[in-house]
Amino acid sequence: MLKLKTKNPWDQVALNYNDEVISPLYHSTYNQLYAKLEMIRNKGSKTVADFGCGTGPLLPALSETFKQVYAMDFSANMLKLAFEKMQNYPDKQLKKICFEQGSLTQLNKFEGMMDVVLTINSVIMTDFDDLKKAFTGINKALKKKGQYIAILPALEAIQEEYHHTYQKEMRKYESVEMATASTRKKLEAKRVNFELGTYNTGDMIQKYYTRYELESYLARAGFKNIQFDRVVYGREHSYNYHDSNLKAHPFMWDHFVICEK
């Protein structure tokens, strides 16, 4: 029986998640996640956690190959949909999954349990102390030499889009003031705080990272052998893609990180 606690803002997104949220699992054109998972040896004897599992898109694949799967999310509705999704798969897969409602800042109960931890655009809280707790908690949840695989929003991708748009607007207006004003309007600059690395979606404020910042968080949390790649999205997911004055947008992308304890 799936027991769920108090609701939170993500519950309202759950039912229309695939329509409202650009997902690296559904909308990317380049993503190393599945290849990296395939490379993990002896999965049949290992335990994996999907922290921030959302509606559970990874659970069928994880429960098919790993010995045990922990699916955790902050949202009651997300977990409910994830649980319901697994009803369509063999019972032997469902039995491998432990569904948990919880926060990435409170992972003490999982200490030393996981061979692999995944966070797919789920470490997006904006408070510095919460981020520190999350990355440290993930590290502690892993066994020695356990692997952490993460996809995290890239602040550099937004910066690239802004610079690209500004250059286009400069050629159009030939005025710094007018190009700046037009760029800020087209890209809704008020939503972005580049100093703090946050983006206001209208419903909530989410964290975006630079590579330097991520390396710092991960190293301080105790991770080693930190490797970076990108998850790349089609240009149709760029800001204001349909604006006829802004052709050939740069691709939007997220950070892909793999490291070990």
Side-chain angles (χ1 to χ4, degrees), residues 48-257:
V48 61
D50 186 357
F51 288 150
C53 66
T55 59
L58 284 175
L59 298 184
L62 297 178
S63 61
E64 185 176 22
T65 55
F66 282 87
K67 179 181 180 180
Q68 187 169 18
V69 181
Y70 282 84
M72 190 194 81
D73 203 274
F74 192 49
S75 164
N77 283 356
M78 294 282 193
L79 279 177
K80 184 174 181 291
L81 290 171
F83 181 78
E84 291 174 351
K85 176 180 294 183
M86 289 308 303
Q87 307 305 305
N88 299 315
Y89 291 85
D91 191 52
K92 64 180 181 180
Q93 287 183 236
L94 179 60
K95 287 181 177 178
K96 289 183 181 181
I97 305 174
C98 179
F99 292 90
E100 297 262 358
Q101 186 177 14
S103 169
L104 283 163
T105 62
Q106 298 175 328
L107 298 175
N108 293 340
K109 68 190 307 183
F110 301 112
E111 187 168 344
M113 292 174 57
M114 309 301 171
D115 296 288
V116 181
V117 169
L118 308 174
T119 63
I120 309 303
N121 276 344
S122 56
V123 188
I124 55 174
M125 61 282 283
T126 58
D127 182 82
F128 174 83
D129 288 333
D130 284 345
L131 291 170
K132 182 179 177 182
K133 288 177 184 176
F135 287 118
T136 300
I138 291 166
N139 182 274
K140 289 183 177 180
L142 285 165
K143 300 175 183 177
K144 187 176 181 180
K145 295 189 179 297
Q147 286 187 306
Y148 176 38
I149 302 174
I151 296 175
L152 305 116
L155 186 62
E156 295 98 330
I158 298 180
Q159 292 170 326
E160 289 169 8
E161 183 78 12
Y162 271 65
H163 288 304
H164 170 83
T165 304
Y166 175 77
Q167 292 298 325
K168 290 281 188 180
E169 297 302 278
M170 258 310 270
R171 288 195 286 273
K172 177 181 177 181
Y173 292 109
E174 297 184 349
S175 161
V176 171
E177 292 77 12
M178 293 181 68
T180 300
S182 180
T183 299
R184 291 184 63 82
K185 181 179 180 181
K186 288 179 181 292
L187 299 186
E188 299 181 280
K190 62 183 179 181
R191 292 179 179 270
V192 185
N193 185 319
F194 284 110
E195 290 80 10
L196 298 179
T198 61
Y199 185 85
N200 189 335
T201 67
D203 298 316
M204 61 190 75
I205 300 176
Q206 301 179 6
K207 177 64 181 168
Y208 277 63
Y209 301 85
T210 64
R211 173 169 173 162
Y212 170 81
E213 184 180 21
L214 268 178
E215 286 180 317
S216 178
Y217 274 120
L218 292 168
R220 281 184 289 177
F223 288 102
K224 299 179 295 185
N225 300 325
I226 304 169
Q227 301 174 51
F228 280 84
D229 199 347
R230 293 185 178 189
V231 173
V232 182
Y233 301 90
R235 283 202 173 96
E236 67 271 20
H237 298 297
S238 297
Y239 298 103
N240 292 283
Y241 172 77
H242 298 292
D243 188 328
S244 60
N245 295 320
L246 299 173
K247 298 294 185 182
H249 285 59
F251 291 100
M252 291 300 294
W253 55 276
D254 286 333
H255 292 290
F256 181 91
V257 184

